[in-house]
Amino acid sequence: MVEWRRHFHQNPELSNHEFKTGKLVADYLKSLGLEVRYPIAKTGVVGILRGGKPGPVIALRSDMDALPITERQHVPFFSTAVDTFNGKTVGVMHACGHDSHIAILMGAATVLSKMKNDIQGTVIFLFQPAEEGPPEGEEGGAKLMIKEGALDNPKPEAVFGLHIESNIEVGNIHYKQGGFMAAADQFVITINGKGSHGSQPWKGIDPVIVAAQIIEGLQTIVSRQEDITKAPAVITVATINSGVRFNIIPEQCVMGGTIRTLDSKMQEDIHERIKRTVQDIAASSGATADVVIENKTLVTFNDSALVTTMLPALQAAAGKDHVQPQNWVTGAEDFSFYGTRAPSFFFYLGGMPKGNDPDKAPPHHTADFYIDESGFDVGVKAFCQIVLNYPTLKGK
């Protein structure tokens, strides 16, 4: 698994570009004797292991894509890959642990294929592209996997997934019943002003000033208008693009960002408040503004009955004291879409070196992201315990 992980880490591929990754996975699953569907959802892989005994169908999922980040050289197998992302040349790095997920699920497939005669039912291995989101104008990710029939033949009655975490100590598993990870929405705000010379702002309508006022206004929606005792929420403006020269007031400014919510009613309300705030602030300066909000993921919802049923399997994998509940998080996962087709359970796996301070662990999606590989066996054991115990535990 370490060898696989380091290969993927040194050869990362962006969303919908996982051509070499997908082929390597598909070829390996075929070598294990699995039924393999490849490609699906552009570069994805579905492997099917039919057990030697009758029983239920369940699915295990891994994601495969990397991020447009240039890695700082902290490991000997660091990435030097580059690619094009939204028209820009970027470094490419597995800065979220998807390389670890591939290796762990390949490891689970290896073990389970050798235990085929003891397995009750069927296991679907989902190796999914574009979890981080497909390139602009393309389909991808869990939505496209589902659309192209990854869960149709055979149809699973439960779907399981894990995510390695840089701030949870190796050997540990964390989980939450119900809403676990946030819904993620992307917004684009286009402010239309009036151009002028930089020395004569009174002759124009400055969209940059309007943008600044809107950014301030958006931050009061969560802090002053929403009841955050119900659930947390986040509004982040992450990009702002306007102008070409220091002494020209531009005609337009475009901002982009993300909304994270864990409550559907709050999500709808925040959308309406964003639109009203943006348009009213723009109008107050004589500008106009358009707001487009696009849903990227749903709330990652862990079926409470499924979690309760399968906790003994996770405890068998990691030890009872190493399986702990945790609070919800504002990160998002397109694993959430699988939950619309079958009860699902998504949990966290520790990837932080023992004894380290979680508050000082490099965050996901950063150039310093780091994973300790010594906990991969716990991930494999968790998947295997789920497969081998699901038929018995679900009947209790």
Side-chain angles (χ1 to χ4, degrees):
M1 285 190 293
V2 169
E3 184 179 340
W4 288 331
R5 185 261 169 154
R6 293 185 179 186
H7 171 81
F8 294 130
H9 194 87
Q10 283 188 303
N11 299 276
E13 295 175 298
L14 294 174
S15 301
N16 280 357
H17 292 185
E18 308 93 334
F19 301 106
K20 294 179 181 177
T21 303
K23 186 177 186 306
L24 188 155
V25 170
D27 288 346
Y28 183 72
L29 296 185
K30 289 176 184 176
S31 77
L32 296 177
L34 273 62
E35 301 171 31
V36 175
R37 182 178 174 189
Y38 169 76
I40 179 172
K42 299 187 185 295
T43 60
V45 186
V46 175
I48 300 173
L49 175 63
R50 300 186 189 275
K53 301 175 183 179
V57 179
I58 66 171
L60 309 176
R61 178 269 204 165
S62 165
D63 36 21
M64 302 193 300
D65 52 330
L67 288 158
I69 294 174
T70 300
E71 183 169 16
R72 276 190 265 270
Q73 301 175 21
H74 297 307
V75 292
F77 51 92
F78 67 92
S79 168
T80 59
V82 295
D83 202 346
T84 301
F85 180 74
N86 289 343
K88 297 180 180 179
T89 300
V90 295
V92 184
M93 175 192 175
H94 272 292
C96 199
H98 297 186
D99 51 347
S100 303
H101 302 165
I102 307 167
I104 289 169
L105 192 55
M106 287 173 67
T110 304
V111 174
L112 292 169
S113 68
K114 297 178 184 298
M115 304 176 67
K116 180 178 179 179
N117 293 337
D118 298 318
I119 293 175
Q120 299 177 54
T122 299
V123 186
I124 304 171
F125 298 91
L126 303 169
F127 290 86
Q128 177 208 306
E131 189 281 325
E132 300 291 356
E136 292 181 8
E138 295 184 23
E139 290 184 284
K143 275 186 177 180
L144 191 56
M145 291 282 283
I146 293 169
K147 181 179 178 180
E148 295 192 358
L151 301 183
D152 289 341
N153 185 25
K155 182 178 292 186
E157 62 178 61
V159 185
F160 299 88
L162 62 76
H163 203 298
I164 202 159
E165 289 294 306
S166 67
N167 64 347
I168 297 175
E169 191 171 87
V170 292
N172 292 286
I173 291 174
H174 288 188
Y175 70 94
K176 183 184 179 299
Q177 293 186 341
F180 180 25
M181 301 182 73
D185 301 307
Q186 176 182 338
F187 64 82
V188 177
I189 299 169
T190 303
I191 304 161
N192 299 297
K194 181 181 178 183
S196 182
H197 194 287
S199 66
Q200 298 174 315
W202 57 87
K203 290 188 176 182
I205 299 172
D206 190 341
V208 177
I209 293 295
V210 175
Q213 294 170 340
I214 288 173
I215 292 170
E216 291 285 346
L218 293 180
Q219 297 312 307
T220 67
I221 294 174
V222 173
S223 66
R224 291 295 181 268
Q225 301 173 41
E226 294 293 338
D227 182 357
I228 58 171
T229 62
K230 292 180 179 178
V234 174
I235 302 172
T236 293
V237 177
T239 64
I240 179 167
N241 294 286
S242 186
V244 294
R245 186 175 168 83
F246 73 95
N247 61 354
I248 301 173
I249 292 175
E251 294 184 349
Q252 191 177 80
C253 181
V254 180
M255 299 189 296
T258 187
I259 308 159
R260 304 300 172 103
T261 50
L262 284 137
D263 178 271
S264 59
K265 290 185 178 179
M266 185 181 290
Q267 181 185 35
E268 293 176 8
D269 187 63
I270 286 176
H271 288 189
E272 291 305 312
R273 291 180 184 274
I274 287 175
K275 293 173 183 176
R276 184 170 65 244
T277 298
V278 168
Q279 291 166 354
D280 287 354
I281 289 176
S284 71
S285 296
T288 61
D290 299 314
V291 182
V292 176
I293 300 175
E294 180 183 358
N295 177 249
K296 292 297 184 181
T297 74
L298 308 175
V299 172
T300 300
F301 187 88
N302 285 334
D303 182 89
S304 293
L306 185 62
V307 172
T308 301
T309 299
M310 298 311 298
L311 270 182
L314 297 187
Q315 291 167 347
K320 192 171 183 179
D321 293 340
H322 294 283
V323 180
Q324 301 292 334
Q326 72 160 68
N327 243 332
W328 42 27
V329 296
T330 50
E333 248 288 347
D334 82 344
F335 179 87
S336 57
F337 291 108
Y338 296 118
T340 66
R341 300 296 299 271
S344 61
F345 182 10
F346 194 73
F347 55 92
Y348 281 170
L349 176 70
M352 182 185 73
K354 288 186 177 181
N356 281 15
D357 183 349
D359 292 332
K360 295 180 180 178
H364 291 238
H365 290 216
T366 67
D368 296 312
F369 177 76
Y370 177 81
I371 286 296
D372 186 328
E373 299 161 331
S374 67
F376 286 6
D377 62 324
V378 177
V380 172
K381 290 175 183 178
F383 276 148
C384 291
Q385 290 287 351
I386 286 169
V387 169
L388 297 173
N389 288 287
Y390 179 82
T392 303
L393 291 173
K394 76 164 188 169
K396 291 185 177 180

